[in-house]
Amino acid sequence: MGLTIAIIGRPNVGKSTLFNRLVGKRLAIVDDTPGVTRDRREAMGSLGHYKFKIIDTAGLEEGKEASLSARMWQQTEKAIAEADFSLFMIDARAGVTPLDKHFAELLRRGNHPMILLANKAEGRAGQEGLYDAFSLGLGEPIPVSAEHGEGLADLIEAFDEKIRELGIDVDADGEEEVTSFSVAIEGEVSEEDEAASEILDNSQPLQMAIVGRPNVGKSTLVNRILGEERQITGPEAGLTRDTIGVSFDYEGREIRMFDTAGLRRKAKVQEKLEKLSVADTIRALNFAEVVVLMIDATMPFERQDLSIASLIVQEGRALVLALNKYDLIENRQEVLKDIAEKLEHTLPQVKGIPVVPISALTGRGIDKLMPAVFEAYRLWNRRISTSKLNRWLAETTEYHPAPSVSGRRIKMRYMTQVKTRPPTFAIFCNRSKDVADSYQRYLMNELRWDFELPGVPIRILLRSGDNPYHKKK
């Protein structure tokens, strides 16, 4: 049976620091600003011989109904209900606060099993707060330092005791969840490889990131796809700060979906916390396979939208545009035409990016979004046989030869696909450095058109020399 543990406590006591410590890498944003974490974040963690799912939660605060604090508390309640037991954390240096006492009483009344942690207990400064923690009535506090990794041996013993007390059957040797993978195909691609490439590996989760400007509806879309209020949503801009990954099954295929913080123009990003959020979003693009760029149909298609799209293409990711709030506009065809023209002008290297009109709030169009994601993923993994590529190269260069340089012809001798994800091709020719950029764009456009590769980035690498496989033949 898998073990699930939630970390709870008031803001700024070190929950995300402990989360990163148990996961073994920096996943959650850590900052001195209280209330950095708002949504609950999940990952696979380990401590000693235990492996478990660990949930980082928002700081416990009271708030009026429908307020941001109340919505954050609702997410924490869901994490507590899901967990086998919780780690209730206080700041030993700050001592036991009225908020600590208030939520300890609520949790005690709810009979939630938990282990009490006194964080930041290193040195004399934390001793008084450690002793005060006994007053919470949650048992003996475990002194730890999440930042420096102190007290983890005592925490393992507390795990042993709590698991025996609750009678939990835990597989301590379980395997950690695989969250990312990559495939690179080097060298010549055969006809058999091309046919096999159409049968994609469904044993690994498809990595999908949702990005866009602040307040365009990214978290609302995540909740709509999942069918539950998994992410905090509301009228406030910038609610999502961390990149939150959630797994779900869509028609028999496992998806790992990442909700990200909104991306504003670089000049407007001044605060340190927002810079951390933006950096977290950029990292999400590095391990995503398909990126859904959300655009607000009620707002003009801005330069920032194009900048984000350009960044996705530069990273070599498959791209799908989700046009949100499409049901709120009247001149729908004009909006679609405007977007298509701007994409054509700004990103000519990825012609044919799919645009899916949706309403994240009502669910309209969501049934068309996921098929578009799967199709973009299929094209992103597309492989083409070497024989087909060379026939294409001969016909294309005969119809439109590369411009001569200083009276000397440029001869395109051989072509092969060297990798997928995105499709990358090598062309061997006699004067690779002299091939004009315009001719490279011509080859890319013809390649995209003839082999039906709309909307995905294509890489063409020009190499000097003859057919590298000539001697092998």
Side-chain angles (χ1 to χ4, degrees):
M1 175 181 173
L3 182 64
T4 301
I5 301 170
I7 307 175
I8 59 178
R10 64 179 177 82
N12 217 34
V13 295
K15 298 185 296 299
S16 294
T17 303
L18 179 62
F19 175 85
N20 289 340
R21 171 73 60 180
L22 295 176
V23 171
K25 52 187 172 182
R26 184 197 168 282
L27 289 182
I29 293 176
V30 176
D31 191 69
D32 293 335
T33 307
V36 171
T37 302
R38 288 172 171 171
D39 295 288
R40 66 185 194 270
R41 174 192 284 275
E42 303 174 357
M44 296 305 296
S46 62
L47 181 65
H49 54 284
Y50 290 111
K51 296 186 187 300
F52 44 83
K53 182 168 76 172
I54 187 78
I55 307 175
D56 187 20
T57 65
L60 298 173
E61 293 183 280
E62 286 193 296
K64 296 181 180 179
E65 187 176 354
S67 68
L68 178 57
S69 296
R71 282 175 273 155
M72 291 161 64
W73 167 241
Q74 290 170 2
Q75 291 293 319
T76 300
E77 282 186 312
K78 291 179 180 179
I80 295 171
E82 182 182 341
D84 294 293
F85 61 87
S86 301
L87 305 178
F88 185 84
M89 182 179 283
I90 69 162
D91 183 341
R93 295 191 177 188
V96 175
T97 68
L99 198 58
D100 291 324
K101 293 180 179 179
H102 172 70
F103 282 105
E105 176 64 23
L106 283 179
L107 296 167
R108 193 168 57 248
R109 272 188 261 160
N111 291 321
H112 297 296
M114 63 188 66
I115 296 172
L116 178 60
L117 301 184
N119 191 33
K120 308 177 188 179
E122 69 273 19
R124 293 183 179 180
Q127 292 304 304
E128 186 174 346
L130 174 63
Y131 298 136
D132 285 347
F134 282 93
S135 66
L136 294 174
L138 299 176
E140 180 179 354
I142 309 297
V144 299
S145 171
E147 184 175 0
H148 300 291
E150 297 179 10
L152 297 184
D154 293 333
L155 185 55
I156 294 174
E157 293 183 8
F159 272 35
D160 291 334
E161 184 178 340
K162 182 61 66 175
I163 287 170
R164 284 196 301 269
E165 175 191 326
L166 298 174
I168 301 173
D169 182 18
V170 178
D171 179 12
D173 297 320
E175 294 295 328
E176 292 189 34
E177 178 184 5
V178 178
T179 58
S180 64
F181 73 106
S182 62
V183 178
I185 307 298
E186 299 294 340
E188 191 169 5
V189 181
S190 67
E191 298 279 1
E192 292 78 9
D193 290 334
E194 182 185 11
S197 72
E198 298 301 321
I199 306 174
L200 300 177
D201 181 9
N202 290 334
S203 65
Q204 300 285 1
L206 189 157
Q207 312 283 330
M208 179 176 80
I210 300 177
V211 303
R213 286 182 287 158
N215 216 31
V216 296
K218 298 183 294 295
S219 295
T220 303
L221 176 61
V222 170
N223 291 342
R224 173 62 61 179
I225 292 174
L226 296 177
E228 62 170 302
E229 292 298 312
R230 177 60 179 78
Q231 302 292 94
I232 294 175
T233 61
E236 305 94 337
L239 282 180
T240 302
R241 287 173 169 170
D242 282 288
T243 295
I244 305 297
V246 291
S247 298
F248 70 101
D249 182 89
Y250 184 86
E251 296 185 353
R253 178 67 196 274
E254 185 181 358
I255 309 291
R256 183 72 173 164
M257 178 167 56
F258 298 90
D259 184 18
T260 64
L263 293 172
R264 296 198 297 164
R265 288 204 305 270
K266 191 173 182 179
K268 290 188 176 183
V269 180
Q270 301 295 334
E271 297 182 3
K272 175 188 173 185
L273 182 54
E274 187 175 0
K275 290 181 179 179
L276 291 172
S277 296
V278 169
D280 209 31
T281 298
I282 300 302
R283 276 193 295 272
L285 295 181
N286 293 330
F287 53 74
E289 295 166 326
V290 181
V291 179
V292 176
L293 171 57
M294 285 196 72
I295 299 169
D296 188 336
T298 64
M299 302 175 66
F301 191 55
E302 294 187 353
R303 181 179 298 177
Q304 178 64 1
D305 295 315
L306 291 168
S307 296
I308 298 172
S310 180
L311 177 61
I312 295 167
V313 172
Q314 289 173 19
E315 291 294 330
R317 306 306 167 200
L319 173 61
V320 175
L321 263 64
L323 187 60
N324 194 28
K325 307 178 187 178
Y326 189 68
D327 53 328
L328 300 181
I329 60 174
E330 295 181 0
N331 54 335
R332 297 176 181 176
Q333 294 305 316
E334 292 181 18
V335 171
L336 287 174
K337 183 179 178 182
D338 177 62
I339 291 175
E341 289 177 351
K342 288 181 177 177
L343 286 173
E344 178 79 16
H345 177 73
T346 309
L347 298 171
Q349 70 273 33
V350 280
K351 291 181 179 180
I353 296 172
V355 179
V356 184
I358 66 167
S359 170
L361 190 61
T362 66
R364 179 178 177 181
I366 303 299
D367 59 330
K368 295 182 176 63
L369 179 62
M370 292 309 298
V373 167
F374 285 128
E375 177 62 12
Y377 177 74
R378 185 187 70 83
L379 294 175
W380 192 62
N381 282 273
R382 177 84 185 278
R383 285 179 249 168
I384 304 170
S385 71
T386 299
S387 59
K388 286 185 178 180
L389 288 172
N390 281 287
R391 284 196 298 270
W392 173 85
L393 181 65
E395 293 171 0
T396 304
T397 55
E398 182 179 0
Y399 175 77
H400 184 182
S404 300
V405 178
S406 302
R408 296 182 60 186
R409 286 182 57 198
I410 294 178
K411 298 178 182 178
M412 302 285 174
R413 295 191 170 109
Y414 181 81
M415 182 177 184
T416 188
Q417 183 170 359
V418 294
K419 67 182 290 290
T420 61
R421 310 160 63 87
T424 303
F425 306 89
I427 298 178
F428 294 85
C429 55
N430 61 334
R431 305 184 67 184
S432 60
K433 294 182 180 180
D434 294 331
V435 179
D437 292 341
S438 59
Y439 192 75
Q440 293 184 50
R441 287 194 296 271
Y442 160 73
L443 291 175
M444 188 177 296
N445 290 333
E446 291 297 304
L447 185 66
R448 184 186 304 282
W449 176 263
D450 291 336
F451 288 103
E452 299 180 350
L453 292 168
V456 295
I458 293 176
R459 304 283 189 262
I460 292 183
L461 310 175
L462 296 177
R463 297 288 183 261
S464 296
D466 296 322
N467 180 349
Y469 297 99
H470 178 71
K471 292 182 181 180
K472 293 183 181 180
K473 294 179 181 178

